Amino acid sequence: MKTDPRGRDQTGGAPLTTGDSSPDVQNDRNKKINSPTRNDCLITDGGTTAEQVLDDNGAGQDNDYESKAYGGSEAAIETIERYVAEHVTDERIASSRSIANSATDVRIQEIGKTLGAHLRGDTPDGFLADVEVSKWRDTSPVKWVFTRVAGEADTRRSRQLQKPNLVREITRATGADGARYRMVERDGVRWERANTTIGWMHDVLAAVCEAVDYQPTAVDEREDLDRREWIDQLTRGGTTDVLERALDIDAPGVRRDWNKETLQTIHDVVVAGRDPIEVSR
């Protein structure tokens, strides 16, 4: 058997003295010690877990979380405000997931961190001014208690429906054709999404004009042009422009697909039969 000057077995690489190990074995040990994960759990200095890192520094790489100074994300603040306005009539218990599920552009973690910041007094002035917020329990997942202390909830049916069901009910009321539905998934959460064609938008606009007795000026100026024929020539952006004038609403940034707020207004008029003056924004 050959040995090197340090007394190692050159053929098998096994240690010859107590406490001395082969380079391969030692490298494996170093990898395990220095690895950022152990037992599928993130380890940092001091044995901090991934969950603790998120608790201390926020969650989500694109939302400007900054340790305990975090004051809430704009998307989460808007989602929570809308949820409270539409669902909290007296007192309501809700999880961060259920609040996040009422929108499609906000992470669950954002909701929880923003409400946690609100309890610390770090969110902007005026946020949730009409309700008191407390924790229903501290065990995971945390649930939140919202107690209304001022104002009233908007209990219109259109405010309780998600976009796919708004599209369904508007479709049934107007006979519009061209709505499509599909399931999407993000961060392990699945939800339904509705997409509408320009033909569907034309059908709905025609129904809105009929309901509110709106006659576009361009049609009035042409005796040979029927209103529906004129509507069918509109682009998506043009359809939205006419809808805004017919309902006296503002649908900012909605050129190709009407957002939830626009659909709520349409629902109020063509499904619930409300006066446009009551629902205009």
Side-chain angles (χ1 to χ4, degrees):
M1 178 177 68
K2 297 180 181 180
T3 61
D4 66 12
R6 291 173 295 178
R8 294 185 183 277
D9 175 0
Q10 292 182 337
T11 59
L16 297 181
T17 59
T18 303
D20 191 14
S21 59
S22 70
D24 290 341
V25 173
Q26 187 62 42
N27 286 339
D28 287 342
R29 288 179 179 173
N30 289 338
K31 288 179 181 178
K32 290 181 180 179
I33 292 173
N34 296 322
S35 173
T37 60
R38 189 184 303 164
N39 296 328
D40 297 325
C41 185
L42 177 66
I43 301 297
T44 63
D45 293 342
T48 304
T49 66
E51 183 178 355
Q52 289 170 310
V53 171
L54 297 181
D55 284 342
D56 290 340
N57 300 294
Q61 293 76 18
D62 301 319
N63 297 291
D64 300 324
Y65 294 99
E66 296 180 3
S67 188
K68 295 299 183 183
Y70 175 66
S73 75
E74 182 177 345
I77 287 174
E78 181 180 348
T79 297
I80 296 167
E81 286 274 24
R82 185 168 60 243
Y83 182 88
V84 167
E86 297 174 1
H87 295 276
V88 181
T89 56
D90 183 18
E91 182 175 277
R92 190 179 186 93
I93 299 173
S95 65
S96 297
R97 179 180 292 275
S98 64
I99 298 171
N101 285 346
S102 68
T104 58
D105 58 352
V106 62
R107 291 182 174 91
I108 296 171
Q109 296 94 328
E110 285 183 75
I111 300 295
K113 294 292 288 186
T114 297
L115 287 170
H118 181 65
L119 293 185
R120 296 195 308 268
D122 293 333
T123 47
D125 292 342
F127 175 54
L128 297 182
D130 291 343
V131 297
E132 291 180 350
V133 183
S134 59
K135 286 185 178 181
W136 181 58
R137 65 183 184 190
D138 288 319
T139 55
S140 182
V142 173
K143 288 193 174 182
W144 309 92
V145 181
F146 300 94
T147 304
R148 184 166 291 280
V149 295
E152 295 181 354
D154 188 344
T155 58
R156 282 177 284 179
R157 175 170 173 76
S158 64
R159 270 50 179 178
Q160 313 308 316
L161 298 175
Q162 293 303 306
K163 184 174 180 179
N165 286 329
L166 283 167
V167 171
R168 285 190 177 94
E169 294 200 2
I170 292 170
T171 297
R172 284 196 294 267
T174 63
D177 181 52
R180 304 290 183 267
Y181 308 90
R182 62 189 176 94
M183 297 301 296
V184 296
E185 182 173 347
R186 185 178 70 187
D187 297 335
V189 178
R190 287 171 56 83
W191 70 92
E192 188 179 34
R193 175 168 290 174
N195 296 102
T196 56
T197 63
I198 190 170
W200 186 89
M201 296 171 73
H202 287 162
D203 288 344
V204 171
L205 176 59
V208 167
C209 289
E210 183 68 28
V212 301
D213 194 24
Y214 177 77
Q215 185 76 340
T217 303
V219 176
D220 272 344
E221 293 175 349
R222 298 224 359 224
E223 296 180 357
D224 61 329
L225 188 62
D226 177 80
R227 181 171 63 192
R228 180 55 202 255
E229 292 176 348
W230 180 79
I231 288 175
D232 287 340
Q233 298 174 19
L234 294 172
T235 63
R236 284 180 178 266
T239 303
T240 301
D241 290 338
V242 178
L243 179 78
E244 290 178 335
R245 292 195 292 271
L247 294 179
D248 191 24
I249 63 173
D250 181 23
V254 186
R255 312 298 345 139
R256 297 189 56 80
D257 187 25
W258 292 331
N259 62 11
K260 182 179 178 181
E261 290 74 17
T262 302
L263 292 173
Q264 286 174 333
T265 303
I266 295 171
H267 186 284
D268 288 342
V269 173
V270 301
V271 179
R274 297 175 67 94
D275 189 320
I277 296 177
E278 299 178 13
V279 299
S280 61
R281 296 181 286 117

